[in-house]
Amino acid sequence: MVKPRKLHSLKRPKVRQSWNKYNLYNISQLRPPRLGERTGDTYFQQKWKAKGLLRAYHGEHVVERKWARMFSRRLLGVSSTSPDYLARNDGSEMARGKGFGLATPPKNAPQNKDGAATPYMQMTFAPMERRLDVAVFRAMFASSARQAAQFCIHGGVKVNGKVMPFPSYQLNPGDMFQVDPERVLYATGLPKHGTKPRRQRGQNRRAKASGEEEAVEETAAAEEEATAEEAAEQDPETTDVAAAEKQDLAPTKQEIQGLIKQAKEVLSEQKLTVAQKRRVRDFIKQSKPLLGKTGRANADPAEILEQLATMVSGLKVEDGSADAAAAAAEEEAAESSTGRKKELSVADLTPEEKDRLRELIAKEQENPHDPSKPYLTPWKPRPYMAPFAFIPQYLEVNQSICSAVYLRHPVARHGSAEVPTPYDQNTNQLAFNWYLQRK
């Protein structure tokens, strides 16, 4: 059996393209690696470490040789120019005088006022952003790049109206891709098991284990009963008189089984305190030996009934809420018997209550409760992802229909680059030089 790969670690963290809570914590705590500043690493070692850090984030699910073929020396960038300047000039004056000793640009040429350089080195993994699975993750239609690739393989992603089962498909400017809304809700919504606290989940596991133990005890009691009956039939000293003296304990057995069933229903349906649940479970546990005694030949029904009465008298589950529920049930039964039932009309509500009622109805219609869904309903977004949720500028996303358009290839501008990356320019430059010498 192949051991599953551990993608997220807190001891030796490597950030990934994922909304996993451990990964989001690693991203929030990430600091610049400062390769070559504190250690005596060679230039080759610095490039190797930078390449390892960046490849862990940018397409770690892509084989290295495939990424090496995708790597491009071209680093796309644009220069911001004012519309007024473009209206007066065609750009030829920018090259005027070059090679003729003119070192100063024209006076009317646009200047970079903030003085920030264009971070071209941040564009090292720009070709990776063209992959369909990465674009689906960037559009916030999947919780990780691996999950986006799974959506593509299973036929949940369309490109220009056609199903695209290849996660490595290279998008072109103008391509529109769409993801199945149910998959998007499952990927970005809160899972069902995430609604219960850890302590409550542990209690549920223990209750399930106790239920299995109860099933084992019932099986053992049934086997003991069958063994006792078989021994009574095969006993050579049994006479007709002894058979006549044997009493029928079937009613007693049915009564005990009915009490156990009612106790289990009360335990599962009603809201009880911890002490009340403990008393009900103790009653169920103590009833099992009595259930086994009813199958014995020498059982005394009077003794069994006496013990059962003692156990029932010690079982007190009623509380104020139970009394209120019983009173409400009696009132409802009385109203149904008399045919009179109090009806609440919308006209009796205040204007504020009517507005609130309309909001609740609209909210329920927009986000209904559906237990059949694999995610929590009413739908809620996954926790911890809000500070990390962003959409790049080269994507135009419509969250209502779960579709997006790949507008253009990412480019670098003055002071910013459009390729999302958690690492600084120095680390990206080292990785670019690593792949540059191998191209």
Side-chain angles (χ1 to χ4, degrees):
M1 182 178 179
V2 180
K3 185 177 181 181
R5 182 181 178 187
K6 187 176 182 181
L7 296 175
H8 310 289
S9 175
L10 296 178
K11 294 183 179 179
R12 301 183 63 182
K14 281 190 175 182
V15 294
R16 315 282 185 178
Q17 291 179 350
S18 173
W19 292 348
N20 181 275
K21 59 182 180 180
Y22 301 108
N23 183 65
L24 295 180
Y25 175 80
N26 291 334
I27 293 178
S28 66
Q29 300 296 319
L30 186 65
R31 299 294 181 268
R34 297 182 179 180
L35 299 175
E37 294 185 6
R38 298 182 179 180
T39 60
D41 295 340
T42 63
Y43 188 56
F44 179 89
Q45 293 172 335
Q46 295 177 30
K47 292 188 294 183
W48 173 264
K49 291 181 179 180
K51 185 267 298 185
L53 292 174
L54 287 168
R55 284 289 288 121
Y57 178 80
H58 294 278
E60 51 85 20
H61 60 291
V62 181
V63 182
E64 182 69 15
R65 65 176 181 274
K66 292 184 179 181
W67 158 242
R69 289 197 299 266
M70 293 171 55
F71 175 75
S72 176
R73 296 170 179 264
R74 299 177 63 238
L75 301 176
L76 301 180
V78 296
S79 177
S80 300
T81 306
S82 63
D84 297 336
Y85 177 79
L86 291 177
R88 294 191 304 267
N89 305 278
D90 59 356
S92 61
E93 71 281 353
M94 296 294 297
R96 188 185 309 159
K98 288 190 175 182
F100 294 91
L102 297 179
T104 58
K107 294 181 180 179
N108 57 350
Q111 302 292 332
N112 186 12
K113 297 181 180 180
D114 55 1
T118 304
Y120 289 104
M121 292 295 101
Q122 298 290 84
M123 304 293 296
T124 302
F125 289 89
M128 191 73 73
E129 302 298 315
R130 292 185 58 187
R131 283 179 58 99
L132 179 58
D133 53 356
V134 176
V136 170
F137 170 71
R138 297 297 188 197
M140 297 180 62
F141 294 152
S143 61
S144 66
R146 285 179 172 267
Q147 189 180 52
Q150 185 185 33
F151 288 171
C152 297
I153 294 172
H154 289 225
V157 182
K158 294 181 180 180
V159 177
N160 298 330
K162 296 183 179 180
V163 177
M164 180 56 62
F166 306 109
S168 60
Y169 176 78
Q170 299 287 312
L171 293 172
N172 297 313
D175 284 348
M176 183 180 71
F177 58 92
Q178 185 175 7
V179 186
D180 183 14
E182 286 297 320
R183 297 177 185 270
V184 176
L185 293 175
Y186 171 74
T188 61
L190 189 66
K192 286 186 176 181
H193 62 78
T195 60
K196 298 179 180 180
R198 185 179 299 274
R199 181 179 300 177
Q200 187 174 355
R201 293 201 299 267
Q203 293 176 357
N204 293 343
R205 286 195 295 268
R206 288 192 295 270
K208 183 178 179 180
S210 62
E212 294 177 355
E213 293 177 358
E214 292 174 0
V216 173
E217 292 177 358
E218 291 179 358
T219 305
E223 292 178 356
E224 184 179 356
E225 177 183 356
T227 305
E229 292 178 356
E230 184 178 359
E233 292 177 359
Q234 297 178 356
D235 190 0
E237 298 181 358
T238 303
T239 59
D240 296 337
V241 178
E245 293 178 354
K246 183 178 179 181
Q247 302 184 21
D248 186 13
L249 296 178
T252 307
K253 181 179 178 180
Q254 293 177 359
E255 184 179 357
I256 297 176
Q257 290 176 347
L259 289 174
I260 293 176
K261 183 178 180 181
Q262 292 179 6
K264 290 182 178 179
E265 291 177 355
V266 169
L267 192 63
S268 60
E269 295 179 359
Q270 295 188 8
K271 295 182 179 180
L272 307 177
T273 62
V274 177
Q276 292 171 348
K277 290 182 179 179
R278 188 183 299 113
R279 287 197 292 268
V280 174
R281 292 194 183 100
D282 292 341
F283 172 78
I284 296 174
K285 187 176 181 180
Q286 295 173 5
S287 301
K288 298 303 175 59
L290 292 179
L291 188 63
K293 286 183 179 180
T294 56
R296 298 177 183 176
N298 57 351
D300 186 5
E303 181 181 357
I304 295 176
L305 291 176
E306 183 179 357
Q307 294 182 7
L308 186 61
T310 305
M311 292 165 50
V312 172
S313 62
L315 181 64
K316 295 181 181 179
V317 189
E318 294 80 5
D319 56 358
S321 60
D323 295 337
E330 292 177 1
E331 184 179 358
E332 184 178 0
E335 290 175 355
S336 61
S337 62
T338 56
R340 299 176 181 176
K341 189 172 182 180
K342 184 179 179 181
E343 296 182 358
L344 181 62
S345 176
V346 180
D348 299 335
L349 301 177
T350 62
E352 293 79 7
E353 293 176 346
K354 291 181 180 179
D355 295 339
R356 180 58 179 166
L357 182 60
R358 293 192 192 97
E359 292 178 2
L360 293 176
I361 293 175
K363 187 176 180 181
E364 176 63 24
Q365 292 178 349
E366 181 181 359
N367 192 8
H369 173 70
D370 190 354
S372 62
K373 300 296 183 181
Y375 47 85
L376 179 67
T377 54
W379 186 86
K380 295 181 181 179
R382 298 181 64 174
Y384 313 117
M385 73 176 187
F388 306 92
F390 69 96
I391 297 176
Q393 296 181 358
Y394 54 85
L395 292 177
E396 185 70 26
V397 181
N398 188 338
Q399 299 288 351
S400 300
I401 59 176
C402 299
S403 64
V405 178
Y406 184 78
L407 300 175
R408 51 179 172 76
H409 300 317
V411 296
R413 304 177 184 274
H414 287 300
S416 64
E418 292 183 348
V419 176
T421 177
Y423 293 99
D424 57 350
Q425 187 173 358
N426 182 40
T427 307
N428 280 269
Q429 181 177 0
L430 292 171
F432 181 79
N433 292 333
W434 169 269
Y435 291 108
L436 190 64
Q437 67 180 0
R438 279 168 162 69
K439 192 66 175 174

